[in-house]
Amino acid sequence: MDGQGALGRRPLLKAGLATLLTTASAAPARAERRHERYLLGRGIGDVTGQPAENGMMGYARIGQRTTGIHQRQRARAFVVAEHDRPDRRVAVVVVDAGMIFGCVREAVLARLAERLGDRYTERNLLLAATHTHAAPGGFSCHTLYNVTTIGFQPGTFEALVTGTAEAVERADADLAPGRLGLARGELTGASVNRSREAFERNPAEEKRHFPGAVDPSTVLLTFERGGHPVGAINWFPTHATSLSPDNTLVSGDNKGYAAYHWEREVSGVDYREPDPGFVAAFAQSNAADMSPNLELRPGTGPTDDEFANTRIIGTRQYAAAARLVSSARPVTGGIDHRMSRVDMSGVAVAPEFTGDGRKHTTCAAALGASFAAGAEDGPGPSFLDEGAGNNPFFGTISEALYRASPELRERQAPKEILLPVGPLGWVPRVLPIQLVRIGELHLVALPQEVSVVGGLRLRRTVAERLGTAPENVVVAGYANDYAGYLTTPEEYDRQAYEGGHTMFGRWSLPAYQQEFARIASDLAAGAESADGPSAELNPGGGRVRLQPGVVVDAPPPGGDFGDVLEPPGRGYARGERARVVFASAHPNNDRRGGDSFLLVQRRVPGGWSTVADDGDWSTEYHWARKGLAASTATVAWTVPSGAESGEYRIVHRGDAKEPGGRVRSFSGTSDSFRVE
């Protein structure tokens, strides 16, 4: 196989696990046919954004700009339709991204409409982000979220739209009869409550559901055909922040690794083949106060190595999900969905939901000083602190505002207001809420990060209206748009980081409870839900591009793109790191979606076989600027413990912009080296 060939299939790592995945959850053939009442489809798309000089999304650190790739970002799509009524369908997509912004969703829907007609709309398409903080940003159409990325980044926006739409198209084309299974379990050791003081303000009856102040619930939806698992979606709440603000390599973080591990390392998936064979998505739930940094410092816990932690926390999520495969019970029931839009800047909340027996109202978005102070595991500037009353300067200003407006005090106090982002139009105010039914499983999709107790209240509210148990309701956070955090009113009063980022005020969660109760009642009654106000995509104000694109690339003096500047050693043992430096060009010329900037190849009879690329955990692709127009690419490969002995080489591929604007592809190949 030559250097352009597909990645070699990998066998399952352990025979026992292979048996689990292929037999343990399979019902006898007759029972399987009885439960194949669904059409199931799966698809994966490459959504890797600009891997160089693109501000990263999540930590809001201006100097954190991409310098390469550790693992590619993926969108994983699952389509479920009723077997006898394929028009009754939903698509659930989990994307390795910091957030899903409204303009991304609208662009994906437009792309799908061009190719698939009205099969997928804002009502039956659920887009959710894993919330990795190790990915390029600049893809919002609202100003606040593009500030630290030096404006809008069209290359990253297009990557997300193209790859997400592609994943849905592939899942749609993959539809075939199958069986759904549902299982629930618990996982500890993968999260810690980073806002404990706020959590403790909640009623004891609610806190008892969360021993250790964490939500251990892990929920698995399995996809099976012919008695064999072909896909899975797992929901578990923990931030995808195992990688710290110091990291500048693109990665799906712990949830991205969990999916990669199940797909590639366990199931032998080749991402370049049309049929992936197995698709695993690790989605978020009510993760606002759940951190993977077990020692509550950036990049710590259970070790002091942030990359090791990414792998460990991801593996723990995978292992908990894989254990549930054998206990998954057949899903029965129909497919349904409801969606509505809500103007969160002015929701009148009925006493039924406020908790104090009185009517209250949300208000225009405002960020608190505690937001700028950062969380326990990701602190902000040292001159700002979490907590009400801890920032005197902003407290004095806010108190003056509250004296002038008792209405503002009732809605936003005790927040020490830092920035009124709502009146400035810097964040969305009209937000989508969505309820998706897949048999007895109900997904509450909302565009915010909700705390574990807040998630419990939402699940109970929806379950009561649907006449089901709360365990049949899962909060799908970071979905369809983004507008910060969502705390309970009790947690809000503490004004920790999460409360300072609960932008629409103290009554935001009760407002969501009210609006989800409305659409849940509609779903239970078989009635349509009101559309609500029109979405405001802010197409002008947010899409300001301040950073210029690539002007020109220059090869090294007397050399050419792809030249090897630093060759590998003559041989490496397993666990050692092979490293090659190439003369390169700016990778933003072509992000190589569905492809790779590097190949690790082993000599086989008749040619070379590719064993790894820049989507693999074992590889690293580092880009660096050298002068005004020259650059280098450093490719590193840590030889896996299971690597076969033999002769290897490393290939780098890229695209250079010449004077005049033409972009041409190039490649370079290292000398071979031995692995023994």
Side-chain angles (χ1 to χ4, degrees):
M1 185 180 300
D2 64 23
Q4 305 298 318
L7 296 174
R9 283 278 181 185
R10 294 186 181 179
L12 295 177
L13 295 182
K14 297 179 181 178
L17 186 54
T19 301
L20 168 69
L21 290 174
T22 57
T23 64
S25 66
R30 283 173 293 181
E32 176 64 35
R33 286 193 294 272
R34 234 183 7 252
H35 293 297
E36 281 191 343
R37 60 166 297 160
Y38 301 107
L39 297 175
L40 309 177
R42 315 134 308 136
I44 300 178
D46 187 334
V47 296
T48 309
Q50 297 180 149
E53 300 185 316
N54 193 130
M56 301 181 85
M57 186 73 224
Y59 287 119
R61 179 182 286 187
I62 292 178
Q64 189 190 22
R65 304 172 73 190
T66 53
T67 61
I69 297 172
H70 190 217
Q71 287 195 288
R72 282 188 169 264
Q73 301 167 255
R74 313 279 181 192
R76 295 170 170 91
F78 301 81
V79 173
V80 182
E82 292 186 19
H83 191 283
D84 298 328
R85 288 287 306 275
D87 57 308
R88 293 182 177 176
R89 69 175 63 199
V90 293
V92 178
V93 191
V94 181
V95 186
D96 288 335
M99 296 86 171
I100 295 295
F101 292 114
C103 55
V104 170
R105 184 170 182 249
E106 291 300 316
V108 169
L109 286 167
R111 197 75 53 90
L112 292 174
E114 292 174 2
R115 299 167 185 175
L116 301 175
D118 61 357
R119 211 171 298 171
Y120 300 99
T121 68
E122 62 180 351
R123 295 179 177 273
N124 69 342
L125 177 69
L126 192 168
L127 297 184
T130 62
H131 200 45
T132 174
H133 285 36
F139 52 92
S140 176
C141 291
H142 283 86
T143 301
L144 178 66
Y145 306 113
N146 292 342
V147 168
T148 59
T149 59
I150 317 180
F152 185 72
Q153 300 285 347
T156 290
F157 176 87
E158 180 59 30
L160 280 167
V161 172
T162 299
T164 302
E166 186 176 73
V168 177
E169 290 178 57
R170 289 175 173 174
D172 184 84
D174 183 58
L175 280 170
R179 173 184 184 268
L180 291 171
L182 183 63
R184 304 172 184 85
E186 292 191 351
L187 170 61
T188 55
S191 61
V192 64
N193 196 312
R194 69 182 191 185
S195 194
R196 187 66 179 262
E197 290 186 21
F199 170 85
E200 294 296 343
R201 289 173 172 257
N202 292 303
E205 186 279 326
E206 293 174 322
K207 291 189 293 184
R208 70 178 177 84
H209 289 271
F210 307 106
V214 301
D215 184 353
S217 300
T218 178
V219 178
L220 186 72
L221 183 67
T222 62
F223 295 68
E224 299 178 6
R225 290 179 185 162
H228 301 287
V230 296
I233 310 176
N234 175 257
W235 287 272
F236 174 74
T238 194
H239 261 68
T241 54
S242 292
L243 292 171
S244 76
D246 295 329
N247 169 62
T248 55
L249 295 181
V250 174
S251 170
D253 209 278
N254 56 62
K255 288 189 177 287
Y257 177 77
Y260 163 84
H261 177 65
W262 201 345
E263 291 169 347
R264 181 94 171 104
E265 296 182 326
V266 173
S267 302
V269 166
D270 182 341
Y271 294 117
R272 297 190 188 186
E273 291 189 1
D275 180 6
F278 188 85
V279 180
F282 284 78
Q284 283 289 7
S285 183
N286 36 234
D289 44 0
M290 297 292 99
S291 171
N293 298 306
L294 305 182
E295 297 175 16
L296 287 179
R297 299 193 311 276
T300 63
T303 76
D304 289 330
D305 183 329
E306 60 186 289
F307 287 94
N309 294 339
T310 300
R311 189 171 192 170
I312 292 168
I313 298 297
T315 300
R316 289 177 181 177
Q317 292 178 71
Y318 153 74
R323 285 194 297 268
L324 294 176
V325 172
S326 60
S327 62
R329 296 185 177 183
V331 171
T332 60
I335 304 299
D336 211 343
H337 46 79
R338 293 294 184 275
M339 195 283 303
S340 186
R341 290 181 294 274
V342 179
D343 185 344
M344 282 299 296
S345 69
V347 178
V349 189
E352 175 186 356
F353 300 97
T354 59
D356 67 356
R358 295 188 295 136
K359 178 181 176 180
H360 294 284
T361 307
T362 61
C363 67
L367 291 171
S370 292
F371 156 77
E376 282 83 344
D377 62 339
S382 59
F383 58 84
L384 291 172
D385 293 309
E386 290 186 273
N390 289 339
N391 298 283
F393 175 76
F394 293 103
T396 300
I397 295 174
S398 297
E399 184 56 35
L401 292 172
Y402 292 149
R403 280 198 304 269
S405 174
E407 182 181 82
L408 182 65
R409 179 190 297 275
E410 191 272 334
R411 298 174 183 182
Q412 286 282 12
K415 180 184 290 179
E416 295 165 341
I417 295 175
L418 172 72
L419 190 64
V421 289
L424 293 172
W426 282 14
V427 297
R429 60 179 179 83
V430 177
L431 295 165
I433 60 171
Q434 185 182 32
L435 185 58
V436 168
R437 178 192 177 196
I438 303 174
E440 59 264 43
L441 177 66
H442 298 83
L443 302 178
V444 174
L446 77 162
Q448 298 202 240
E449 310 183 44
V450 63
S451 67
V452 294
V453 175
L456 175 65
R457 293 184 188 179
L458 279 170
R459 291 192 294 112
R460 284 176 164 178
T461 297
V462 169
E464 188 274 329
R465 295 302 173 106
L466 294 174
T468 189
E471 56 262 32
N472 290 331
V473 181
V474 172
V475 171
Y478 311 88
N480 301 322
D481 206 336
Y482 184 76
Y485 280 72
L486 189 62
T487 57
T488 68
E490 296 90 336
E491 292 165 346
Y492 183 89
D493 288 345
R494 171 68 179 84
Q495 277 299 292
Y497 167 75
E498 295 82 5
H501 201 178
T502 298
M503 294 189 290
F504 301 105
R506 191 176 192 271
W507 307 105
S508 298
L509 177 64
Y512 273 110
Q513 288 178 262
Q514 173 180 284
E515 297 307 303
F516 271 108
R518 171 174 61 85
I519 65 172
S521 297
D522 292 339
L523 185 111
E528 291 299 320
S529 293
D531 289 337
S534 298
E536 31 136 35
L537 300 179
N538 200 21
R543 293 202 187 194
V544 176
R545 184 180 183 184
L546 302 176
Q547 183 176 346
V550 181
V551 178
V552 68
D553 291 294
D560 202 356
F561 301 108
D563 287 353
V564 175
L565 303 180
E566 295 182 29
R570 299 186 64 179
Y572 299 91
R574 293 165 185 84
E576 292 185 333
R577 190 169 183 258
R579 176 180 176 275
V580 184
V581 180
F582 296 89
S584 193
H586 206 296
N588 292 357
N589 290 323
D590 188 335
R591 68 182 183 90
R592 293 191 164 261
D595 199 352
S596 179
F597 288 101
L598 67 91
L599 303 172
V600 179
Q601 299 180 327
R602 183 174 62 86
R603 186 184 289 279
V604 296
W608 293 87
S609 174
T610 299
V611 299
D613 67 10
D614 62 11
D616 282 287
W617 180 260
S618 61
T619 65
E620 298 171 30
Y621 163 65
H622 297 263
W623 177 87
R625 184 182 290 279
K626 299 295 180 182
L628 293 176
S631 57
T632 61
T634 300
V635 177
W637 179 52
T638 300
V639 183
S641 59
E644 296 184 41
S645 298
E647 186 179 358
Y648 287 78
R649 70 181 187 182
I650 290 176
V651 179
H652 167 52
R653 302 188 300 187
D655 304 272
K657 179 174 282 190
E658 299 176 333
R662 187 174 78 93
V663 175
R664 68 174 178 91
S665 299
F666 65 86
S667 66
T669 303
S670 76
D671 294 336
S672 63
F673 54 90
R674 296 287 303 177
V675 169
E676 299 293 349

